[in-house]
Amino acid sequence: MARTEISHYGEFGLIRHLTEKFSTRNASTLKAIGDDAAVLDYSTNKILITTDLLLEGIHFDLVYTPLKHLGYKSAVVNFSDIYAMNGAPKQITVSLGISKRFSVEDLEALYSGIQLACEHYGVDLIGGDTSASLTGLSISITCIGEAKKEDIVYRNGAKENDIICVSGNLGAAYMGLQLLEREKAVFAGNENVQPDFEGKSYILQRQLKPEARKDIIEELHKRGIRPTAMMDISDGLSSELMHICSQSNTGCRVYEDKIPIHYEAASMAEELNMNIVTAALNGGEDYELLFTVSLDDYDKILSMEHVGIVGYITKPELGLYLVGRQGEEIELKAQGWNSLQESKTETPS
Ligand SMILES: [Mg+2]
């Protein structure tokens, strides 16, 4: 494959080359790339800002992560944080630290993933920076979004008797990571072995190309449901519940048999002799939404596809517990009730 050195373009030429295919679509973007600063107009709406720093070797492994997927995921995890405030992402800036190992073609692949995510979620690229780095690739993305003041949902609004809801299913991204790590280890031992990914496309996709739950936010809006508290699940259900309960000053009960699990994740866990519930509670990177709603919205929630009720909010003195299949109560801990592997990778928030 052709390899063009980054020096071929120079810094300004490189940014122009990588961003020329991007177009803007939001009325709030008055000026995107091309001046000293971008110009935005949010009129009377509130502005939401979130940022993520991703470092090669800490947050991603390029041995099994295609650069296009990495670009897509880097953008989507930021969108997910804006949706988790009940807002809509509108603009991003992308800054890269790039070592000599990377060519212009590599960066084109990364940006094609970012562009795909921007098109899919209706977000404008409005700026960024690139710099040479001594080792590896680092990606810093800042996302700007908007919401009406009265629509914004924080982590601190959960009340006693509220229902705890989760979108989609949990643990699949973590099982996808375990599969990729296993095949990487096998490959390191014998380079003639082809990776065995058959029947595992769902968990791989969940790890390599996650989606943000824009659809759920739109559904909630359509049905007139405003969650009392909400966040996205980037570090596992257990740790996110602890955030909501500590900020809302409540306790909770969640039921083991209500935690939504995809069959592919369950079968991967069985194959690796791991507990899938532990993976769902602590695995992370699912980018599903965890939210609480008032009991008054119970029927509306039941009618929503892709949303499950996993438990309820209690008084703070009742603590945070998982109720097992035999009715036993297991205290929820930040790192789970079974120790996960120490190699667990850090996940962006
Ligand atoms: Mg978050």
Side-chain angles (χ1 to χ4, degrees), residues 283-339:
E285 291 200 286
D286 289 310
Y287 300 105
E288 295 294 344
L289 291 169
L290 166 66
F291 57 94
T292 56
V293 299
S294 151
L295 205 48
D296 300 338
D297 288 325
Y298 181 76
D299 289 334
K300 287 189 199 163
I301 288 291
L302 279 188
S303 73
M304 278 184 79
E305 247 189 299
H306 313 300
V307 171
I309 297 171
V310 299
Y312 61 93
I313 295 291
T314 67
K315 289 189 176 73
E317 53 270 29
L318 294 178
L320 283 68
Y321 286 90
L322 178 76
V323 183
R325 288 173 207 277
Q326 269 79 50
E328 72 279 21
E329 296 203 330
I330 305 147
E331 191 172 8
L332 288 171
K333 300 219 171 76
Q335 285 305 315
W337 41 280
N338 252 337
S339 63

Side-chain angles (χ1 to χ4, degrees), residues 81 84 155 231-232 234 349:
D81 275 323
R155 296 176 178 181
M231 59 186 300
D232 66 335
S234 51
S349 66

Side-chain angles (χ1 to χ4, degrees), residues 83-306:
Y83 291 123
M85 301 300 292
N86 205 24
K90 294 292 172 186
Q91 288 91 14
I92 53 168
T93 65
V94 175
S95 296
L96 304 176
I98 312 154
S99 79
K100 283 207 177 77
R101 222 171 80 228
F102 297 91
S103 66
V104 171
E105 287 76 13
D106 291 333
L107 299 183
E108 285 170 356
L110 184 78
Y111 268 79
S112 72
I114 295 171
Q115 191 180 5
L116 197 64
C118 284
E119 280 166 9
H120 191 79
Y121 290 92
V123 173
D124 297 335
L125 177 72
I126 57 158
D129 196 11
T130 61
S131 167
S133 98
L134 294 179
T135 55
L137 177 66
S138 56
I139 307 170
S140 169
I141 296 190
T142 295
C143 184
I144 299 144
E146 70 177 319
K148 288 199 193 107
K149 182 171 189 265
E150 62 272 24
D151 286 344
I152 298 175
V153 176
Y154 297 90
R155 296 176 178 181
N156 65 4
K159 298 270 178 311
E160 190 187 349
N161 298 326
D162 280 358
I163 308 161
I164 303 172
C165 305
V166 166
S167 67
N169 59 74
L170 301 177
Y174 184 74
M175 295 321 301
L177 180 65
Q178 297 311 302
L179 171 64
L180 289 164
E181 289 285 348
R182 181 186 76 180
E183 297 304 313
K184 179 188 169 183
V186 169
F187 187 73
N190 180 356
E191 299 198 357
N192 296 316
V193 176
Q194 285 301 306
D196 178 14
F197 291 147
E198 202 174 310
K200 304 199 163 62
S201 58
Y202 180 75
I203 58 172
L204 285 176
Q205 184 220 319
R206 293 284 285 175
Q207 171 57 222
L208 295 173
K209 190 175 175 285
E211 300 292 351
R213 295 314 301 255
K214 179 186 189 191
D215 57 331
I216 300 289
I217 296 302
E218 289 171 350
E219 273 300 305
L220 288 169
H221 206 80
K222 234 185 272 173
R223 285 161 205 260
I225 305 169
R226 186 184 173 280
T228 50
M230 181 156 62
M231 59 186 300
D232 66 335
I233 305 177
S234 51
D235 293 322
L237 180 61
S238 189
S239 111
E240 318 304 21
L241 278 168
M242 296 186 78
H243 285 300
I244 285 188
C245 289
S246 76
Q247 292 205 25
S248 300
N249 190 31
T250 66
C252 71
R253 289 291 178 281
V254 290
Y255 293 85
E256 183 180 352
D257 60 357
K258 299 289 183 203
I259 294 175
I261 308 273
H262 191 275
Y263 69 91
E264 238 182 64
S267 99
M268 189 72 234
E270 200 170 291
E271 200 178 319
L272 296 174
N273 207 13
M274 294 175 70
N275 185 324
I276 186 59
V277 177
T278 308
L281 285 172
N282 307 290
E285 291 200 286
D286 289 310
Y287 300 105
E288 295 294 344
L289 291 169
L290 166 66
F291 57 94
T292 56
V293 299
S294 151
L295 205 48
D296 300 338
D297 288 325
Y298 181 76
D299 289 334
K300 287 189 199 163
I301 288 291
L302 279 188
S303 73
M304 278 184 79
E305 247 189 299
H306 313 300

